[in-house]
Amino acid sequence: MHQVASSSSEQYERARQTVATFLGAAADEIVFTRGATESLNLLAQGLASSIEAGEGLVVTRLEHHSNILPWQRLCMSRGAHLHWLEVEASTGNLDLVQLRALLASGGVRLVAVTGLSNVLGIMPQVAEVIRLAHEAGAWVVVDAAQLVAHAPIDVRALDCDALVLSGHKLYGPTGIGVLYARRDLLRQLEPWQVGGGMVQTVTETSFTPLAAPAGLEAGTPPIAEAVGLAAAIHWLSQIGWGALLAHEASLMTALEEAVRSLGHVQVLGPKLSSHRRGCLSFTADDVHPHDLSQLLGDQGVCVRAGHHCAQPLHAALGVTGSVRASVCVGTTQEDVETFRRITADVLLHWRRRLA
Ligand SMILES: Cc1ncc(COP(=O)(O)O)c(C=O)c1O
């Protein structure tokens, strides 16, 4: 093999080891994908043939569409039931009484739960969900797309069966994601894409796939993206979780105070600011979320408006959309104050025009 080609392969495999170490996994339990969405689709399609008609899958009310639709489609194609695990409005906690009842009714094969809500900024009781699901013999897949930049993850300590993330949520490039799955589960997955790179032998009538992870990575791998993701992980590790979490906790307290101080706004989810990480979402009386985000954008304040790919959650909260404000490593207390000042000003002018 040419030196350049072997160096690329080495760097790609080194990136896999970096991700594995970051998550507390082994390198052969890490599959590179295009993002969390692709990871979840790979998992759902790879498991499809193990799900029988009449069995159940559970998704929570907090989920991003990417951790709903693959399971919804799997249930439709296999004649399985999709159950919704509800959230207690006042605390944002998942209803574990309901989960126990669902698991006790039998036939639940998998629970899909987010590690951190991309709307409410709260972390559901994932460890407890995993414990209960395992007692009932069900797998648990954790959507860590939002969590990964806001809390350290150790898949062994968490004891999840699978976990997904996206590179761009971790200060890395777009177009790269990760599927972690326990080795024995990964080996059970049927390749969802076939072609070059994933195969051992090919004849005119059949083929033998390579073992995972290679067997689940058809086509030319995302080498540059994987190396970029590893670089982001090294960068984040240099900052360290202690500094990062302390920085973010003080920003989130300030952000929540800032939003609540605006008046005539409702922060979605529970009232306890200490439970939030990374983002919070709110609605403002008399102003559509898209109008507010547009007006803020005109002033250089970047927020996101809409359902944030979580329509079932917004429907349960009785709203069609919200405005989401986020913090990250680079956010400062001055940024939060600027956000508060400009948002207060924009709302004042809007309401004066309406009056
Ligand atoms: C909680 C959560 N899950 C899944 C996704 C999907 O990630 P991607 O679009 O990178 O595949 C996102 C992206 O916003 C997310 O926030």
Side-chain angles (χ1 to χ4, degrees):
M1 194 191 282
H2 191 280
Q3 219 178 322
V4 174
S6 70
S7 159
S8 302
S9 301
E10 269 170 35
Q11 290 188 55
Y12 184 64
E13 291 309 321
R14 222 178 297 139
R16 195 191 304 278
Q17 183 59 61
T18 300
V19 172
T21 306
F22 183 65
L23 296 177
D28 67 351
E29 295 172 313
I30 301 297
V31 179
F32 282 122
T33 63
R34 279 196 314 119
T37 304
E38 187 169 290
S39 300
L40 289 161
N41 276 277
L42 188 165
L43 189 62
Q45 294 193 32
L47 285 175
S49 61
S50 355
I51 307 295
E52 304 292 338
E55 292 186 326
L57 273 61
V58 178
V59 297
T60 89
R61 186 63 66 185
L62 293 171
E63 301 313 307
H64 185 282
H65 294 164
S66 292
N67 202 23
I68 300 173
L69 273 56
W71 309 118
Q72 206 174 52
R73 191 167 67 167
L74 170 53
C75 285
M76 287 190 295
S77 70
R78 302 295 296 175
H81 302 294
L82 188 70
H83 303 287
W84 285 86
L85 180 57
E86 300 299 339
V87 179
E88 294 161 3
S90 59
T91 61
N93 287 334
L94 294 173
D95 185 345
L96 296 185
V97 174
Q98 188 205 354
L99 179 62
R100 280 194 186 90
L102 281 171
L103 293 168
S105 67
V108 170
R109 298 292 309 283
L110 177 138
V111 180
V113 59
T114 187
L116 174 61
S117 163
N118 68 310
V119 177
L120 306 182
I122 56 165
M123 293 168 67
Q125 318 94 298
V126 172
E128 190 64 0
V129 168
I130 292 171
R131 197 181 61 75
L132 293 173
H134 283 177
E135 276 173 17
W139 294 307
V140 179
V141 52
V142 178
D143 176 359
Q146 184 74 12
L147 179 70
V148 68
H150 302 287
I153 297 171
D154 181 331
V155 290
R156 295 269 185 269
L158 197 57
D159 198 27
C160 56
D161 301 284
L163 180 140
V164 305
L165 57 93
S166 290
H168 67 100
K169 298 272 192 177
L170 192 55
Y171 307 100
T174 53
I176 183 78
V178 170
L179 166 66
Y180 154 81
R182 275 189 300 104
R183 197 172 290 123
D184 55 323
L185 180 61
L186 205 59
R187 295 275 155 95
Q188 275 186 48
L189 301 182
E190 285 181 19
W192 77 311
Q193 286 183 345
V194 292
M198 53 72 65
V199 78
Q200 206 168 12
T201 50
V202 181
T203 69
E204 281 180 15
T205 51
S206 67
F207 65 90
T208 314
L210 288 166
L216 298 170
E217 293 180 350
T220 303
I223 302 165
E225 292 83 353
V227 171
L229 173 59
I233 290 174
H234 289 309
W235 172 78
L236 207 69
S237 306
Q238 276 166 10
I239 299 171
W241 280 113
L244 222 139
L245 295 179
H247 175 66
E248 186 169 306
S250 70
L251 288 172
M252 284 308 295
T253 305
L255 179 63
E256 186 151 355
E257 278 171 19
V259 172
R260 291 195 191 278
S261 77
L262 293 170
H264 302 285
V265 299
Q266 291 77 40
V267 176
L268 300 188
K271 295 210 160 39
L272 293 171
S273 61
S274 57
H275 286 177
R276 286 202 164 78
R277 290 187 191 205
C279 70
L280 61 76
S281 300
F282 62 97
T283 55
D285 295 354
D286 311 325
V287 195
H288 192 280
H290 283 127
D291 289 327
L292 184 52
S293 78
Q294 180 70 48
L295 291 166
L296 290 176
D298 292 346
Q299 306 273 335
V301 174
C302 182
V303 292
R304 180 168 169 183
H307 51 61
H308 319 304
C309 298
Q311 282 183 5
L313 174 60
H314 278 84
L317 294 169
V319 291
T320 52
S322 58
V323 174
R324 184 178 70 185
S326 305
V327 301
C328 69
V329 177
T331 311
T332 63
Q333 291 287 348
E334 291 72 44
D335 292 334
V336 176
E337 173 50 22
T338 305
F339 159 80
R340 188 206 59 75
R341 183 173 44 75
I342 294 177
T343 311
D345 200 43
V346 161
L347 287 174
L348 187 71
H349 281 88
W350 180 272
R351 285 172 180 147
R352 272 200 192 134
R353 264 185 33 204
L354 285 184

